Amino acid sequence: MKLPKLNELSTSRDMIDVFGGYNHNLRIREGEFYDMKNLTSADYPVLSPRSKRGTYTPGNDAGTPMNPLGMIAKDALCYVEANEDGNTSSFYINGYKIEDVTLNSEPKTLISMGSYVIIMPDKYYINTNNYGDKGKIEKTFDAKTGTAQFNLCKIDGEGYNIDYTGESAPELPEGKDEYDDLMLWLDTSGENHILKMYSKTNSQWISVATTYIKITFSDATDLTQLFSKEDGLTISGITASEQLKDLNNTMVIWDVGTNYIIVTGILDRTATQDLTESAFISISRKMPNMDFIIESGNRLWGCRYGVALNGEVVNEIYASKLGDFKNWNTFAGISTDSYVVGLGTDGQFTGAITHGGYPIFFKENCMHKVYGNYPANYQVQTIACRGVQKGSSKSLAIVNEILYYKARSAICAYDGSLPVEMSSALGDVVYSDAVAGVLGNKYYISMKDTSGEYHLFVYDTMKGMWHREDNTQAVEFCNCEGELYFIDYDTKQIKTVRGTGIPDAKSIKWEAVTGIIGTESPDKKYLSRIVMRGSLEVGTTLYLQAMYDSSGTWEQVFSMTAATLKTFAIPVRPKRCDHLRLRLLGEGEAKIFSIVKTFEQGSDM
């Protein structure tokens, strides 16, 4: 008896033992995942969830900070925390409150320069090595009572005894063949008067290169508490004489005392001005309004697109005096001067950072890079490229000398030549409002999608892989002593990525969603068997779900909870279908070593 011959079905096996990262595109490689939650590359090539995070607690009895407004890394973590009154905030160093520091309740930008922390927008500074050295960067003295006296003097304040004032040189007294040595003549022949000194050595009148005016206020208390020698100050309200009107300007003061300042100028004779509430002299040290501020080369740098302090609309880059963040208006023609330059590009500034030793200022369609080491040779190079997206200034972060940031349509990496995109794995989802930080070789970035939902992604720069963690909205990141801190928008606390401080109590819920399985061949086939190998910690729960033929419904095909620490294998037989996706969900510690898929192949019918 002859029986009909049956054709044996062709089978094939695919084993995945190298698990890649997140790839939110239609076609992805084996081992990559279309979606995921709370996975990490730390155990690559093994698939595993991230470690638990923590809540920052200072090393004293200060308690957990609530509602932090900004932070920065010094020898310890420094932060600004809102006070209970809701209108003010205070500065802390590792939980220690710096007394007599009252700031407003706005979000803060903290900039480090040497041992100092500069707090914006308050324009306040604190020396972290000397807590008594603190105060406002901007200072103002309004002289509204008493008098102001103006005297021609030397740089040290000593007055001149002028021998003669006139439009022509004085005549020689009878019986003299030559003027007395160092005799002073105030030449008033030109529009600008000149002080000249006679030199017997040269037998001629020699102009005194620079003359000074001492302004003395009868009712000043102690100007040395407000200003310092060589500060750049703005002076207004001087009406004592027509010759003194040019002092209503921004200029360097060459000395300051209890009741006087010395500035550059020329004066024919002593002048006095009566001061009242409505006719007063104002002296101030101002810091420009700036959109973003950074430190580079022992100077503070900033940029402004909009209305400046004087009411003019500007598009400028600024630098403070060398080693002096308080002074932005010292222009004495020397290498330590302040610096300001106007730009020709249109649009608002979107971010700033120091990279490779150079200040870089971004707009959405370009970057401005400043070369040079002192004002006379500063040069601004404008590079047309994908700049920082508006609202994502905090996405700028440097990982192993490479600068990463969120552009409008991508996340870019910049090594000093031109930016390149490195976020194609994130798919075509549009993100904005990005905030980033760095821990080791990893770039952490929290950003918002078009639906308003936030996502925390991690890019492992050494392995070239993305992972999605969760929906954390980070307000700011800060790396300090090997830990990455971030301000959590939801909890209003400072959280830690590595779990220092108070570790999170809850187990981590994680998941991984594969790409579409079964589109590689035109023939009919089905996934007949899945074998998964891994290990589970005690109490870890694991689920395996499948979505058949893009139905939109996940069906559970396997679940287990580990009673002991064990290695396991999961044999699963899913339904026959044209194609499917798999979703692996877990809660707790787990490591997945491999997934083996067995296919049975048919014809194209």
Side-chain angles (χ1 to χ4, degrees):
M1 180 179 176
K2 293 184 178 181
L3 297 175
K5 185 176 180 180
L6 298 176
N7 294 325
E8 183 179 357
L9 292 176
S10 175
T11 62
S12 62
R13 299 180 72 192
D14 291 339
M15 185 175 76
I16 304 172
D17 59 358
V18 176
F19 293 98
Y22 180 88
N23 192 341
H24 201 70
N25 291 291
L26 190 59
R27 290 295 297 259
I28 63 177
R29 295 190 295 267
E30 288 277 13
E32 293 182 330
F33 297 95
Y34 181 78
D35 201 1
M36 65 169 60
K37 180 181 180 181
N38 285 329
L39 297 182
T40 179
S41 64
D43 298 313
Y44 175 83
V46 176
L47 180 67
S48 63
R50 63 168 175 83
S51 59
K52 287 185 178 181
R53 298 176 187 146
T55 301
Y56 167 73
T57 54
N60 50 44
D61 298 329
T64 302
M66 289 299 297
N67 198 15
L69 302 176
M71 55 185 178
I72 194 170
K74 299 294 283 184
D75 293 336
L77 185 68
C78 303
Y79 57 91
V80 176
E81 182 181 2
N83 295 327
E84 292 183 358
D85 61 15
N87 298 318
T88 61
S89 58
S90 300
F91 183 80
Y92 294 80
I93 299 178
N94 197 26
Y96 177 80
K97 181 179 178 179
I98 307 301
E99 298 298 333
D100 301 322
V101 177
T102 302
L103 309 168
N104 63 36
S105 59
E106 299 178 45
K108 308 300 180 191
T109 298
L110 277 61
I111 308 101
S112 175
M113 182 172 171
S115 61
Y116 289 92
V117 172
I118 292 86
I119 305 172
M120 301 298 291
D122 301 78
K123 298 182 180 180
Y124 199 93
Y125 68 92
I126 298 174
N127 188 334
T128 56
N129 290 333
N130 177 12
Y131 300 160
D133 183 8
K134 59 183 182 288
K136 287 278 191 178
I137 292 176
E138 294 187 331
K139 296 288 186 180
T140 299
F141 169 66
D142 291 333
K144 297 182 178 181
T145 61
T147 60
Q149 188 172 355
F150 303 84
N151 296 285
L152 191 67
C153 67
K154 300 175 184 178
I155 193 170
D156 60 0
E158 181 184 353
Y160 283 109
N161 293 317
I162 299 176
D163 300 290
Y164 179 76
T165 300
E167 296 183 359
S168 58
E171 296 181 1
L172 277 172
E174 292 184 9
K176 280 196 174 186
D177 298 328
E178 196 172 10
Y179 300 104
D180 292 334
D181 196 30
L182 306 182
M183 181 180 180
L184 294 174
W185 163 40
L186 185 60
D187 184 359
T188 60
S189 59
E191 182 178 351
N192 296 318
H193 298 181
I194 302 171
L195 183 64
K196 295 182 178 180
M197 180 182 295
Y198 190 77
S199 170
K200 279 190 174 182
T201 303
N202 299 306
S203 299
Q204 63 178 354
W205 292 97
I206 297 175
S207 298
V208 177
T210 307
T211 57
Y212 303 89
I213 295 176
K214 183 177 183 179
I215 309 175
T216 305
F217 300 95
S218 62
D219 290 354
T221 51
D222 189 358
L223 295 180
T224 61
Q225 297 298 312
L226 300 176
F227 310 117
S228 301
K229 186 177 179 179
E230 297 183 5
D231 275 358
L233 303 183
T234 300
I235 304 174
S236 63
I238 295 177
T239 59
S241 73
E242 184 67 19
Q243 195 176 20
L244 294 173
K245 65 179 182 180
D246 290 339
L247 297 186
N248 293 308
N249 207 335
T250 298
M251 59 179 62
V252 175
I253 62 168
W254 297 104
D255 200 2
V256 58
T258 302
N259 64 342
Y260 70 87
I261 61 172
I262 295 176
V263 297
T264 304
I266 188 74
L267 184 64
D268 292 353
R269 61 183 63 86
T270 298
T272 302
Q273 180 176 333
D274 293 326
L275 304 171
T276 66
E277 286 285 337
S278 59
F280 61 91
I281 294 175
S282 180
I283 304 173
S284 60
R285 184 181 64 219
K286 294 292 186 181
M287 184 180 190
N289 290 334
M290 289 177 282
D291 301 324
F292 302 100
I293 303 177
I294 56 174
E295 186 278 333
S296 179
N298 201 22
R299 299 176 188 264
L300 283 190
W301 291 77
C303 56
R304 179 66 173 171
Y305 183 91
V307 180
L309 289 175
N310 59 7
E312 295 182 358
V313 177
V314 298
N315 184 14
E316 295 175 333
I317 291 174
Y318 309 93
S320 71
K321 183 180 177 182
L322 180 66
D324 186 357
F325 54 82
K326 300 177 186 177
N327 276 290
W328 299 79
N329 294 295
T330 55
F331 303 105
I334 56 179
S335 62
T336 60
D337 275 353
S338 309
Y339 176 73
V340 59
V341 62
L343 303 175
T345 57
D346 191 21
Q348 298 179 359
F349 289 98
T350 55
I353 195 171
T354 298
H355 178 241
Y358 301 103
I360 303 177
F361 299 91
F362 286 90
K363 297 185 176 183
E364 278 203 330
N365 58 354
C366 69
M367 68 171 73
H368 299 285
K369 192 171 185 178
V370 183
Y371 293 91
N373 48 24
Y374 59 92
N377 72 354
Y378 282 147
Q379 294 183 347
V380 181
Q381 181 184 17
T382 301
I383 303 169
C385 63
R386 287 174 291 185
V388 174
Q389 182 184 32
K390 184 179 179 181
S392 297
S393 61
K394 292 183 179 180
S395 69
L396 287 156
I398 298 173
V399 187
N400 298 332
E401 296 79 47
I402 305 297
L403 173 61
Y404 295 86
Y405 62 89
K406 175 69 172 69
R408 183 182 295 175
S409 59
I411 296 173
C412 293
Y414 174 69
D415 63 0
S417 53
L418 284 174
V420 295
E421 180 178 343
M422 32 72 67
S423 58
S424 60
L426 302 185
D428 58 0
V429 181
V430 178
Y431 295 101
S432 62
D433 299 321
V435 175
V438 176
L439 182 61
N441 297 318
K442 294 182 178 180
Y443 175 71
Y444 288 73
I445 182 167
S446 169
M447 47 190 178
K448 181 176 66 175
D449 63 23
T450 52
S451 68
E453 187 174 24
Y454 278 83
H455 304 265
L456 177 60
F457 292 97
V458 182
Y459 180 66
D460 190 320
T461 62
M462 299 300 289
K463 301 180 179 74
M465 294 188 303
W466 284 96
H467 284 77
R468 181 184 176 277
E469 291 200 349
D470 55 17
N471 300 108
T472 294
Q473 179 182 352
V475 177
E476 184 175 5
F477 283 95
C478 179
N479 188 306
C480 182
E481 296 185 329
E483 177 63 276
L484 182 60
Y485 300 88
F486 67 92
I487 299 175
D488 190 324
Y489 177 83
D490 294 326
T491 64
K492 300 296 186 292
Q493 292 179 321
I494 299 177
K495 307 289 285 186
T496 60
V497 169
R498 283 184 168 168
T500 58
I502 303 174
D504 292 345
K506 293 183 179 180
S507 299
I508 297 173
K509 295 182 179 180
W510 53 274
E511 67 178 70
V513 179
T514 68
I516 298 175
I517 300 171
T519 60
E520 302 82 11
S521 168
D523 298 324
K524 293 293 182 180
K525 69 281 179 189
Y526 69 95
L527 182 61
S528 62
R529 183 178 175 84
I530 300 172
V531 177
M532 184 184 305
R533 292 191 61 83
S535 66
L536 301 179
E537 294 281 347
V538 177
T540 296
T541 302
L542 184 70
Y543 303 91
L544 181 64
Q545 299 176 342
M547 180 188 293
Y548 301 103
D549 295 334
S550 302
S551 65
T553 302
W554 290 102
E555 299 182 22
Q556 189 164 301
V557 295
F558 177 84
S559 68
M560 69 173 294
T561 300
T564 61
L565 178 63
K566 60 182 292 186
T567 300
F568 66 94
I570 303 175
V572 179
R573 289 185 177 275
K575 295 179 181 178
R576 181 174 295 204
C577 60
D578 177 72
H579 63 273
L580 78 161
R581 287 184 190 269
L582 298 176
R583 181 165 72 173
L584 190 63
L585 300 97
E587 183 174 353
E589 292 294 325
K591 287 180 172 53
I592 308 300
F593 299 111
S594 65
I595 298 176
V596 179
K597 299 176 292 186
T598 301
F599 289 94
E600 291 188 6
Q601 193 82 15
S603 68
D604 60 356
M605 299 298 293

